[in-house]
Each structure stands twice: as C-alpha cells, then as structure tokens.
Amino acid sequence: GESVGLHLPTLSVQEGDNSIINCAYSNSASDYFIWYKQESGKGPQFIIDIRSNMDKRQGQRVTVLLNKTVKHLSLQIAATQPGDSAVYFCAEVMTGANSKLTFGKGITLSVRP
Amino acid sequence: DAGITQSPRHKVTETGTPVTLRCHQTENHRYMYWYRQDPGHGLRLIHYSYGVKDTDKGEVSDGYSVSRSKTEDFLLTLESATSSQTSVYFCAISAMSTGYGTEAFFGQGTRLTVV
C-alpha cells in the first residue's frame, strides 16, 4: 500500500545529527500537546507530551518545546539514528471536557547513513 | 502492547453497501477515537467517544456513524460506502486525564477499499 509519508513534507538529516521537527497548532484552549511517531505499516506511537503551562520538557533523547505566543511546538531529537526514520505528528487535546484529540498533518523524517 | 484490537484488518466492499468496523479494548479506557489516514492528510478525526453512549463528531464525520453501547467496544459504520471512503482507519484509546497522562494507544489499522 501507499506509504503513510507520501505527500508529506520531508526533513532529511545525517545520522548522528540533531533533528528539529516543527508544528503549528490551532487551538489556544488545548492544555496538552503531544508528539507521535508512526513507522510504516503501524499505528502511531506516543513519544512525549507537554502541558500548556510548561515551555520545555525532556525525555530520553527527545525534547519538546512549546511557544504559546506563536502557537508553535517543536520536537528535538538528539543524535538521530536510522530507527528514528518515520512520520512524526503533533497533536493537541483539551482534557477534562470531551478530550477531543486532533492531529497535525505530519512530517517525514529521513535519516541518511 | 495496549489491549486494543481492530477488526477486520482488511476489507474490500462495493459502493453503496454498509460497512461496520469494530474497535475492541481491554484497558477500560474512557476515551475512544476513530481516525482515517490518507496520503497527504495525516490523521483526521471522524468521531470520538467520551463514555458509554457519549459520542461526538470530528472533522470528517459526514457519511459515518458510531455507537458505543459498552466501554470496550466502539463501532464505526459507513452507512453507504463510497470510493472516497477508501482509506486506512485507526482506532485509538486513552485514559486522557491529568493523572494518567494523554497517551493514546492505537490499533493496527483497518485497510478499507471501496470499489
């Protein structure tokens, strides 16, 4: 079947370099912002989330930055590895209400050996 | 892996026929979601549920209906399938709370082809 990454913007990085994936979100009322990774033929997998009252959160090899002033979210991946090649989606949700979880369009990350 | 199962995994159906996709969970999560994924469009929300018999529309709900009569099952129905509904459909579940976090777990997807 067609690749999930077909027709999506692509970011190409050299193995070992740091990657920065950017996302613009739409709803100022969202209280959580989330990053997902999707490998070919699989469903998306959770990477990390950040609450709206924070501007930075770190995980294992990943950092998420939130700029509410310009409604911008980024995912930084340190020392990018071939296994990081995938499609990355940002998502947003307003918890406590109906918790509607919506996704951005996605970006394909391609890691060059 | 989170206990979420989609069925069927693949289906080919004819235009105008009704189709029902099933999402089953064993995690007792409150929230369940149906998405469709098409090249260039990412994941688009069709319908979602925030409890038994509590559902709401997403951004691409036209032509789809859902039902949730018990916590573990969320059904997506295409009343009269059209070729534009050819897609990969994903179900997701989540506790979606400040205490449990926002992680959503996805099923393996259902590839639906309408001919």
Side-chain angles (χ1 to χ4, degrees), chain B residues 4-35:
Chain B
I4 176 171
T5 306
Q6 289 184 232
S7 59
R9 292 291 315 281
H10 301 271
K11 185 170 182 67
V12 180
T13 193
E14 292 186 350
T15 299
T17 61
V19 176
T20 295
L21 308 184
R22 181 184 185 229
C23 180
H24 178 76
Q25 63 150 327
T26 57
E27 304 295 324
N28 201 37
H29 282 334
R30 177 180 175 187
Y31 298 94
M32 299 184 76
Y33 306 85
W34 276 109
Y35 297 90

PDB file of all heavy atoms in Angstrom, chain B residues 4-35:
ATOM      1  N   ILE B   4      -5.840  -3.327  22.483  1.00  0.00           N
ATOM      2  CA  ILE B   4      -6.766  -2.737  21.530  1.00  0.00           C
ATOM      3  C   ILE B   4      -6.712  -3.541  20.242  1.00  0.00           C
ATOM      4  O   ILE B   4      -5.629  -3.820  19.725  1.00  0.00           O
ATOM      5  CB  ILE B   4      -6.449  -1.237  21.299  1.00  0.00           C
ATOM      6  CG1 ILE B   4      -7.365  -0.646  20.218  1.00  0.00           C
ATOM      7  CG2 ILE B   4      -4.987  -1.008  20.972  1.00  0.00           C
ATOM      8  CD1 ILE B   4      -7.251   0.865  20.092  1.00  0.00           C
ATOM      9  N   THR B   5      -7.871  -3.920  19.748  1.00  0.00           N
ATOM     10  CA  THR B   5      -7.960  -4.765  18.564  1.00  0.00           C
ATOM     11  C   THR B   5      -8.955  -4.175  17.593  1.00  0.00           C
ATOM     12  O   THR B   5     -10.075  -3.822  17.975  1.00  0.00           O
ATOM     13  CB  THR B   5      -8.415  -6.187  18.945  1.00  0.00           C
ATOM     14  OG1 THR B   5      -7.561  -6.707  19.947  1.00  0.00           O
ATOM     15  CG2 THR B   5      -8.383  -7.097  17.725  1.00  0.00           C
ATOM     16  N   GLN B   6      -8.549  -4.075  16.336  1.00  0.00           N
ATOM     17  CA  GLN B   6      -9.461  -3.625  15.286  1.00  0.00           C
ATOM     18  C   GLN B   6      -9.825  -4.811  14.409  1.00  0.00           C
ATOM     19  O   GLN B   6      -8.975  -5.655  14.105  1.00  0.00           O
ATOM     20  CB  GLN B   6      -8.798  -2.554  14.417  1.00  0.00           C
ATOM     21  CG  GLN B   6      -8.616  -1.234  15.108  1.00  0.00           C
ATOM     22  CD  GLN B   6      -8.047  -0.184  14.180  1.00  0.00           C
ATOM     23  OE1 GLN B   6      -7.064   0.475  14.480  1.00  0.00           O
ATOM     24  NE2 GLN B   6      -8.687   0.014  13.021  1.00  0.00           N
ATOM     25  N   SER B   7     -11.070  -4.844  13.985  1.00  0.00           N
ATOM     26  CA  SER B   7     -11.486  -5.881  13.044  1.00  0.00           C
ATOM     27  C   SER B   7     -12.526  -5.318  12.073  1.00  0.00           C
ATOM     28  O   SER B   7     -13.329  -4.467  12.449  1.00  0.00           O
ATOM     29  CB  SER B   7     -12.074  -7.083  13.808  1.00  0.00           C
ATOM     30  OG  SER B   7     -13.186  -6.690  14.584  1.00  0.00           O
ATOM     31  N   PRO B   8     -12.469  -5.755  10.806  1.00  0.00           N
ATOM     32  CA  PRO B   8     -11.416  -6.581  10.237  1.00  0.00           C
ATOM     33  C   PRO B   8     -10.142  -5.789   9.994  1.00  0.00           C
ATOM     34  O   PRO B   8     -10.149  -4.573  10.153  1.00  0.00           O
ATOM     35  CB  PRO B   8     -12.037  -7.025   8.900  1.00  0.00           C
ATOM     36  CG  PRO B   8     -12.900  -5.869   8.508  1.00  0.00           C
ATOM     37  CD  PRO B   8     -13.468  -5.339   9.805  1.00  0.00           C
ATOM     38  N   ARG B   9      -9.080  -6.425   9.628  1.00  0.00           N
ATOM     39  CA  ARG B   9      -7.838  -5.728   9.305  1.00  0.00           C
ATOM     40  C   ARG B   9      -7.827  -5.255   7.853  1.00  0.00           C
ATOM     41  O   ARG B   9      -7.216  -4.238   7.522  1.00  0.00           O
ATOM     42  CB  ARG B   9      -6.652  -6.651   9.529  1.00  0.00           C
ATOM     43  CG  ARG B   9      -6.411  -7.008  10.992  1.00  0.00           C
ATOM     44  CD  ARG B   9      -5.923  -5.803  11.811  1.00  0.00           C
ATOM     45  NE  ARG B   9      -4.892  -5.046  11.144  1.00  0.00           N
ATOM     46  CZ  ARG B   9      -3.619  -5.403  11.087  1.00  0.00           C
ATOM     47  NH1 ARG B   9      -3.219  -6.517  11.676  1.00  0.00           N
ATOM     48  NH2 ARG B   9      -2.741  -4.648  10.445  1.00  0.00           N
ATOM     49  N   HIS B  10      -8.508  -5.992   7.016  1.00  0.00           N
ATOM     50  CA  HIS B  10      -8.619  -5.632   5.603  1.00  0.00           C
ATOM     51  C   HIS B  10     -10.034  -5.917   5.154  1.00  0.00           C
ATOM     52  O   HIS B  10     -10.636  -6.913   5.583  1.00  0.00           O
ATOM     53  CB  HIS B  10      -7.654  -6.446   4.739  1.00  0.00           C
ATOM     54  CG  HIS B  10      -6.224  -6.284   5.116  1.00  0.00           C
ATOM     55  ND1 HIS B  10      -5.420  -5.307   4.601  1.00  0.00           N
ATOM     56  CD2 HIS B  10      -5.447  -7.000   5.978  1.00  0.00           C
ATOM     57  CE1 HIS B  10      -4.205  -5.416   5.112  1.00  0.00           C
ATOM     58  NE2 HIS B  10      -4.191  -6.424   5.952  1.00  0.00           N
ATOM     59  N   LYS B  11     -10.556  -5.018   4.294  1.00  0.00           N
ATOM     60  CA  LYS B  11     -11.882  -5.286   3.740  1.00  0.00           C
ATOM     61  C   LYS B  11     -12.008  -4.599   2.393  1.00  0.00           C
ATOM     62  O   LYS B  11     -11.591  -3.445   2.232  1.00  0.00           O
ATOM     63  CB  LYS B  11     -12.979  -4.788   4.674  1.00  0.00           C
ATOM     64  CG  LYS B  11     -14.391  -5.171   4.188  1.00  0.00           C
ATOM     65  CD  LYS B  11     -15.432  -4.894   5.229  1.00  0.00           C
ATOM     66  CE  LYS B  11     -16.805  -5.319   4.737  1.00  0.00           C
ATOM     67  NZ  LYS B  11     -16.897  -6.805   4.574  1.00  0.00           N
ATOM     68  N   VAL B  12     -12.597  -5.325   1.463  1.00  0.00           N
ATOM     69  CA  VAL B  12     -12.961  -4.767   0.173  1.00  0.00           C
ATOM     70  C   VAL B  12     -14.471  -4.842   0.073  1.00  0.00           C
ATOM     71  O   VAL B  12     -15.059  -5.893   0.308  1.00  0.00           O
ATOM     72  CB  VAL B  12     -12.307  -5.538  -0.995  1.00  0.00           C
ATOM     73  CG1 VAL B  12     -12.727  -4.917  -2.319  1.00  0.00           C
ATOM     74  CG2 VAL B  12     -10.788  -5.528  -0.862  1.00  0.00           C
ATOM     75  N   THR B  13     -15.094  -3.744  -0.262  1.00  0.00           N
ATOM     76  CA  THR B  13     -16.547  -3.714  -0.334  1.00  0.00           C
ATOM     77  C   THR B  13     -16.989  -2.925  -1.563  1.00  0.00           C
ATOM     78  O   THR B  13     -16.208  -2.180  -2.151  1.00  0.00           O
ATOM     79  CB  THR B  13     -17.138  -3.090   0.946  1.00  0.00           C
ATOM     80  OG1 THR B  13     -18.540  -3.333   0.996  1.00  0.00           O
ATOM     81  CG2 THR B  13     -16.897  -1.578   0.988  1.00  0.00           C
ATOM     82  N   GLU B  14     -18.236  -3.094  -1.919  1.00  0.00           N
ATOM     83  CA  GLU B  14     -18.755  -2.410  -3.097  1.00  0.00           C
ATOM     84  C   GLU B  14     -19.429  -1.091  -2.711  1.00  0.00           C
ATOM     85  O   GLU B  14     -19.993  -0.947  -1.617  1.00  0.00           O
ATOM     86  CB  GLU B  14     -19.758  -3.304  -3.826  1.00  0.00           C
ATOM     87  CG  GLU B  14     -19.102  -4.517  -4.467  1.00  0.00           C
ATOM     88  CD  GLU B  14     -20.068  -5.333  -5.305  1.00  0.00           C
ATOM     89  OE1 GLU B  14     -21.289  -5.070  -5.228  1.00  0.00           O
ATOM     90  OE2 GLU B  14     -19.603  -6.226  -6.042  1.00  0.00           O
ATOM     91  N   THR B  15     -19.372  -0.160  -3.619  1.00  0.00           N
ATOM     92  CA  THR B  15     -20.041   1.128  -3.429  1.00  0.00           C
ATOM     93  C   THR B  15     -21.505   0.917  -3.095  1.00  0.00           C
ATOM     94  O   THR B  15     -22.174   0.085  -3.719  1.00  0.00           O
ATOM     95  CB  THR B  15     -19.909   1.981  -4.700  1.00  0.00           C
ATOM     96  OG1 THR B  15     -18.535   2.228  -4.964  1.00  0.00           O
ATOM     97  CG2 THR B  15     -20.639   3.306  -4.543  1.00  0.00           C
ATOM     98  N   GLY B  16     -21.970   1.638  -2.085  1.00  0.00           N
ATOM     99  CA  GLY B  16     -23.380   1.568  -1.708  1.00  0.00           C
ATOM    100  C   GLY B  16     -23.695   0.556  -0.616  1.00  0.00           C
ATOM    101  O   GLY B  16     -24.814   0.556  -0.095  1.00  0.00           O
ATOM    102  N   THR B  17     -22.743  -0.260  -0.251  1.00  0.00           N
ATOM    103  CA  THR B  17     -23.005  -1.254   0.791  1.00  0.00           C
ATOM    104  C   THR B  17     -22.648  -0.676   2.162  1.00  0.00           C
ATOM    105  O   THR B  17     -21.769   0.172   2.281  1.00  0.00           O
ATOM    106  CB  THR B  17     -22.202  -2.535   0.566  1.00  0.00           C
ATOM    107  OG1 THR B  17     -20.807  -2.210   0.594  1.00  0.00           O
ATOM    108  CG2 THR B  17     -22.550  -3.167  -0.754  1.00  0.00           C
ATOM    109  N   PRO B  18     -23.321  -1.130   3.215  1.00  0.00           N
ATOM    110  CA  PRO B  18     -22.957  -0.700   4.565  1.00  0.00           C
ATOM    111  C   PRO B  18     -21.753  -1.500   5.065  1.00  0.00           C
ATOM    112  O   PRO B  18     -21.582  -2.674   4.726  1.00  0.00           O
ATOM    113  CB  PRO B  18     -24.207  -1.010   5.386  1.00  0.00           C
ATOM    114  CG  PRO B  18     -24.860  -2.128   4.650  1.00  0.00           C
ATOM    115  CD  PRO B  18     -24.532  -1.966   3.212  1.00  0.00           C
ATOM    116  N   VAL B  19     -20.926  -0.831   5.852  1.00  0.00           N
ATOM    117  CA  VAL B  19     -19.737  -1.467   6.402  1.00  0.00           C
ATOM    118  C   VAL B  19     -19.601  -1.052   7.865  1.00  0.00           C
ATOM    119  O   VAL B  19     -19.793   0.117   8.192  1.00  0.00           O
ATOM    120  CB  VAL B  19     -18.459  -1.012   5.654  1.00  0.00           C
ATOM    121  CG1 VAL B  19     -17.217  -1.610   6.296  1.00  0.00           C
ATOM    122  CG2 VAL B  19     -18.533  -1.372   4.184  1.00  0.00           C
ATOM    123  N   THR B  20     -19.278  -2.007   8.717  1.00  0.00           N
ATOM    124  CA  THR B  20     -19.027  -1.691  10.123  1.00  0.00           C
ATOM    125  C   THR B  20     -17.642  -2.178  10.519  1.00  0.00           C
ATOM    126  O   THR B  20     -17.292  -3.332  10.277  1.00  0.00           O
ATOM    127  CB  THR B  20     -20.080  -2.334  11.030  1.00  0.00           C
ATOM    128  OG1 THR B  20     -21.352  -1.740  10.746  1.00  0.00           O
ATOM    129  CG2 THR B  20     -19.748  -2.080  12.502  1.00  0.00           C
ATOM    130  N   LEU B  21     -16.883  -1.268  11.103  1.00  0.00           N
ATOM    131  CA  LEU B  21     -15.571  -1.580  11.646  1.00  0.00           C
ATOM    132  C   LEU B  21     -15.688  -1.598  13.169  1.00  0.00           C
ATOM    133  O   LEU B  21     -16.366  -0.763  13.759  1.00  0.00           O
ATOM    134  CB  LEU B  21     -14.541  -0.543  11.210  1.00  0.00           C
ATOM    135  CG  LEU B  21     -14.454  -0.244   9.706  1.00  0.00           C
ATOM    136  CD1 LEU B  21     -13.310   0.751   9.449  1.00  0.00           C
ATOM    137  CD2 LEU B  21     -14.279  -1.501   8.897  1.00  0.00           C
ATOM    138  N   ARG B  22     -14.962  -2.534  13.757  1.00  0.00           N
ATOM    139  CA  ARG B  22     -15.057  -2.681  15.206  1.00  0.00           C
ATOM    140  C   ARG B  22     -13.729  -2.378  15.867  1.00  0.00           C
ATOM    141  O   ARG B  22     -12.660  -2.774  15.382  1.00  0.00           O
ATOM    142  CB  ARG B  22     -15.479  -4.108  15.567  1.00  0.00           C
ATOM    143  CG  ARG B  22     -15.627  -4.365  17.068  1.00  0.00           C
ATOM    144  CD  ARG B  22     -15.958  -5.811  17.333  1.00  0.00           C
ATOM    145  NE  ARG B  22     -16.214  -6.086  18.752  1.00  0.00           N
ATOM    146  CZ  ARG B  22     -15.654  -7.078  19.440  1.00  0.00           C
ATOM    147  NH1 ARG B  22     -14.810  -7.882  18.831  1.00  0.00           N
ATOM    148  NH2 ARG B  22     -15.948  -7.264  20.705  1.00  0.00           N
ATOM    149  N   CYS B  23     -13.820  -1.688  16.997  1.00  0.00           N
ATOM    150  CA  CYS B  23     -12.656  -1.451  17.848  1.00  0.00           C
ATOM    151  C   CYS B  23     -12.976  -2.005  19.222  1.00  0.00           C
ATOM    152  O   CYS B  23     -13.997  -1.627  19.822  1.00  0.00           O
ATOM    153  CB  CYS B  23     -12.357   0.039  17.930  1.00  0.00           C
ATOM    154  SG  CYS B  23     -10.937   0.461  18.963  1.00  0.00           S
ATOM    155  N   HIS B  24     -12.113  -2.866  19.714  1.00  0.00           N
ATOM    156  CA  HIS B  24     -12.328  -3.516  20.996  1.00  0.00           C
ATOM    157  C   HIS B  24     -11.128  -3.264  21.902  1.00  0.00           C
ATOM    158  O   HIS B  24      -9.987  -3.430  21.488  1.00  0.00           O
ATOM    159  CB  HIS B  24     -12.515  -5.022  20.796  1.00  0.00           C
ATOM    160  CG  HIS B  24     -12.702  -5.788  22.063  1.00  0.00           C
ATOM    161  ND1 HIS B  24     -13.888  -5.793  22.769  1.00  0.00           N
ATOM    162  CD2 HIS B  24     -11.847  -6.549  22.780  1.00  0.00           C
ATOM    163  CE1 HIS B  24     -13.751  -6.532  23.848  1.00  0.00           C
ATOM    164  NE2 HIS B  24     -12.529  -7.013  23.877  1.00  0.00           N
ATOM    165  N   GLN B  25     -11.393  -2.868  23.139  1.00  0.00           N
ATOM    166  CA  GLN B  25     -10.301  -2.623  24.087  1.00  0.00           C
ATOM    167  C   GLN B  25     -10.514  -3.419  25.358  1.00  0.00           C
ATOM    168  O   GLN B  25     -11.645  -3.726  25.742  1.00  0.00           O
ATOM    169  CB  GLN B  25     -10.217  -1.122  24.429  1.00  0.00           C
ATOM    170  CG  GLN B  25     -11.446  -0.585  25.133  1.00  0.00           C
ATOM    171  CD  GLN B  25     -11.153   0.580  26.073  1.00  0.00           C
ATOM    172  OE1 GLN B  25     -10.087   0.648  26.693  1.00  0.00           O
ATOM    173  NE2 GLN B  25     -12.106   1.499  26.184  1.00  0.00           N
ATOM    174  N   THR B  26      -9.391  -3.738  26.008  1.00  0.00           N
ATOM    175  CA  THR B  26      -9.442  -4.454  27.284  1.00  0.00           C
ATOM    176  C   THR B  26      -8.833  -3.603  28.405  1.00  0.00           C
ATOM    177  O   THR B  26      -8.522  -4.124  29.470  1.00  0.00           O
ATOM    178  CB  THR B  26      -8.699  -5.787  27.181  1.00  0.00           C
ATOM    179  OG1 THR B  26      -7.351  -5.535  26.762  1.00  0.00           O
ATOM    180  CG2 THR B  26      -9.373  -6.719  26.184  1.00  0.00           C
ATOM    181  N   GLU B  27      -8.625  -2.301  28.136  1.00  0.00           N
ATOM    182  CA  GLU B  27      -7.954  -1.424  29.091  1.00  0.00           C
ATOM    183  C   GLU B  27      -8.924  -0.621  29.950  1.00  0.00           C
ATOM    184  O   GLU B  27      -8.501   0.109  30.854  1.00  0.00           O
ATOM    185  CB  GLU B  27      -7.028  -0.442  28.337  1.00  0.00           C
ATOM    186  CG  GLU B  27      -6.007  -1.110  27.454  1.00  0.00           C
ATOM    187  CD  GLU B  27      -5.013  -1.931  28.250  1.00  0.00           C
ATOM    188  OE1 GLU B  27      -4.650  -1.509  29.369  1.00  0.00           O
ATOM    189  OE2 GLU B  27      -4.601  -3.003  27.760  1.00  0.00           O
ATOM    190  N   ASN B  28     -10.198  -0.679  29.638  1.00  0.00           N
ATOM    191  CA  ASN B  28     -11.213   0.075  30.381  1.00  0.00           C
ATOM    192  C   ASN B  28     -10.995   1.595  30.287  1.00  0.00           C
ATOM    193  O   ASN B  28     -11.343   2.345  31.207  1.00  0.00           O
ATOM    194  CB  ASN B  28     -11.242  -0.348  31.859  1.00  0.00           C
ATOM    195  CG  ASN B  28     -12.560  -0.007  32.521  1.00  0.00           C
ATOM    196  OD1 ASN B  28     -13.614  -0.100  31.913  1.00  0.00           O
ATOM    197  ND2 ASN B  28     -12.497   0.415  33.786  1.00  0.00           N
ATOM    198  N   HIS B  29     -10.407   2.039  29.172  1.00  0.00           N
ATOM    199  CA  HIS B  29     -10.196   3.477  28.987  1.00  0.00           C
ATOM    200  C   HIS B  29     -11.499   4.156  28.608  1.00  0.00           C
ATOM    201  O   HIS B  29     -12.323   3.618  27.863  1.00  0.00           O
ATOM    202  CB  HIS B  29      -9.148   3.728  27.913  1.00  0.00           C
ATOM    203  CG  HIS B  29      -7.747   3.509  28.414  1.00  0.00           C
ATOM    204  ND1 HIS B  29      -7.381   3.627  29.730  1.00  0.00           N
ATOM    205  CD2 HIS B  29      -6.620   3.186  27.734  1.00  0.00           C
ATOM    206  CE1 HIS B  29      -6.092   3.391  29.854  1.00  0.00           C
ATOM    207  NE2 HIS B  29      -5.601   3.121  28.663  1.00  0.00           N
ATOM    208  N   ARG B  30     -11.647   5.372  29.084  1.00  0.00           N
ATOM    209  CA  ARG B  30     -12.885   6.114  28.856  1.00  0.00           C
ATOM    210  C   ARG B  30     -13.027   6.603  27.414  1.00  0.00           C
ATOM    211  O   ARG B  30     -14.103   6.615  26.845  1.00  0.00           O
ATOM    212  CB  ARG B  30     -12.930   7.308  29.814  1.00  0.00           C
ATOM    213  CG  ARG B  30     -14.139   8.196  29.635  1.00  0.00           C
ATOM    214  CD  ARG B  30     -14.120   9.352  30.615  1.00  0.00           C
ATOM    215  NE  ARG B  30     -15.229  10.274  30.365  1.00  0.00           N
ATOM    216  CZ  ARG B  30     -15.378  11.427  30.989  1.00  0.00           C
ATOM    217  NH1 ARG B  30     -14.498  11.812  31.907  1.00  0.00           N
ATOM    218  NH2 ARG B  30     -16.410  12.203  30.710  1.00  0.00           N
ATOM    219  N   TYR B  31     -11.902   7.046  26.834  1.00  0.00           N
ATOM    220  CA  TYR B  31     -11.964   7.709  25.535  1.00  0.00           C
ATOM    221  C   TYR B  31     -11.578   6.764  24.406  1.00  0.00           C
ATOM    222  O   TYR B  31     -10.593   6.023  24.497  1.00  0.00           O
ATOM    223  CB  TYR B  31     -11.043   8.934  25.523  1.00  0.00           C
ATOM    224  CG  TYR B  31     -11.440   9.969  26.532  1.00  0.00           C
ATOM    225  CD1 TYR B  31     -10.865   9.982  27.801  1.00  0.00           C
ATOM    226  CD2 TYR B  31     -12.400  10.919  26.228  1.00  0.00           C
ATOM    227  CE1 TYR B  31     -11.249  10.918  28.747  1.00  0.00           C
ATOM    228  CE2 TYR B  31     -12.802  11.861  27.161  1.00  0.00           C
ATOM    229  CZ  TYR B  31     -12.219  11.858  28.420  1.00  0.00           C
ATOM    230  OH  TYR B  31     -12.607  12.792  29.342  1.00  0.00           O
ATOM    231  N   MET B  32     -12.376   6.826  23.338  1.00  0.00           N
ATOM    232  CA  MET B  32     -12.077   6.048  22.137  1.00  0.00           C
ATOM    233  C   MET B  32     -12.284   6.948  20.927  1.00  0.00           C
ATOM    234  O   MET B  32     -13.173   7.813  20.918  1.00  0.00           O
ATOM    235  CB  MET B  32     -12.966   4.805  22.041  1.00  0.00           C
ATOM    236  CG  MET B  32     -12.779   3.855  23.226  1.00  0.00           C
ATOM    237  SD  MET B  32     -13.710   2.319  23.101  1.00  0.00           S
ATOM    238  CE  MET B  32     -12.715   1.398  21.906  1.00  0.00           C
ATOM    239  N   TYR B  33     -11.437   6.744  19.919  1.00  0.00           N
ATOM    240  CA  TYR B  33     -11.405   7.623  18.750  1.00  0.00           C
ATOM    241  C   TYR B  33     -11.332   6.805  17.474  1.00  0.00           C
ATOM    242  O   TYR B  33     -10.675   5.772  17.429  1.00  0.00           O
ATOM    243  CB  TYR B  33     -10.164   8.532  18.796  1.00  0.00           C
ATOM    244  CG  TYR B  33      -9.991   9.329  20.067  1.00  0.00           C
ATOM    245  CD1 TYR B  33      -9.356   8.782  21.179  1.00  0.00           C
ATOM    246  CD2 TYR B  33     -10.439  10.647  20.146  1.00  0.00           C
ATOM    247  CE1 TYR B  33      -9.190   9.524  22.342  1.00  0.00           C
ATOM    248  CE2 TYR B  33     -10.266  11.404  21.312  1.00  0.00           C
ATOM    249  CZ  TYR B  33      -9.645  10.833  22.399  1.00  0.00           C
ATOM    250  OH  TYR B  33      -9.469  11.569  23.548  1.00  0.00           O
ATOM    251  N   TRP B  34     -11.950   7.321  16.434  1.00  0.00           N
ATOM    252  CA  TRP B  34     -11.786   6.765  15.088  1.00  0.00           C
ATOM    253  C   TRP B  34     -11.169   7.836  14.191  1.00  0.00           C
ATOM    254  O   TRP B  34     -11.666   8.964  14.124  1.00  0.00           O
ATOM    255  CB  TRP B  34     -13.113   6.328  14.473  1.00  0.00           C
ATOM    256  CG  TRP B  34     -13.557   4.959  14.873  1.00  0.00           C
ATOM    257  CD1 TRP B  34     -14.582   4.616  15.695  1.00  0.00           C
ATOM    258  CD2 TRP B  34     -12.987   3.725  14.424  1.00  0.00           C
ATOM    259  NE1 TRP B  34     -14.690   3.259  15.795  1.00  0.00           N
ATOM    260  CE2 TRP B  34     -13.719   2.681  15.020  1.00  0.00           C
ATOM    261  CE3 TRP B  34     -11.923   3.389  13.562  1.00  0.00           C
ATOM    262  CZ2 TRP B  34     -13.434   1.330  14.804  1.00  0.00           C
ATOM    263  CZ3 TRP B  34     -11.636   2.065  13.343  1.00  0.00           C
ATOM    264  CH2 TRP B  34     -12.393   1.050  13.952  1.00  0.00           C
ATOM    265  N   TYR B  35     -10.087   7.442  13.506  1.00  0.00           N
ATOM    266  CA  TYR B  35      -9.415   8.315  12.549  1.00  0.00           C
ATOM    267  C   TYR B  35      -9.353   7.627  11.190  1.00  0.00           C
ATOM    268  O   TYR B  35      -9.335   6.417  11.108  1.00  0.00           O
ATOM    269  CB  TYR B  35      -7.972   8.611  12.989  1.00  0.00           C
ATOM    270  CG  TYR B  35      -7.853   9.353  14.292  1.00  0.00           C
ATOM    271  CD1 TYR B  35      -7.767   8.664  15.497  1.00  0.00           C
ATOM    272  CD2 TYR B  35      -7.811  10.738  14.330  1.00  0.00           C
ATOM    273  CE1 TYR B  35      -7.655   9.335  16.704  1.00  0.00           C
ATOM    274  CE2 TYR B  35      -7.700  11.434  15.537  1.00  0.00           C
ATOM    275  CZ  TYR B  35      -7.625  10.719  16.705  1.00  0.00           C
ATOM    276  OH  TYR B  35      -7.515  11.393  17.900  1.00  0.00           O
TER     277      TYR B  35
END
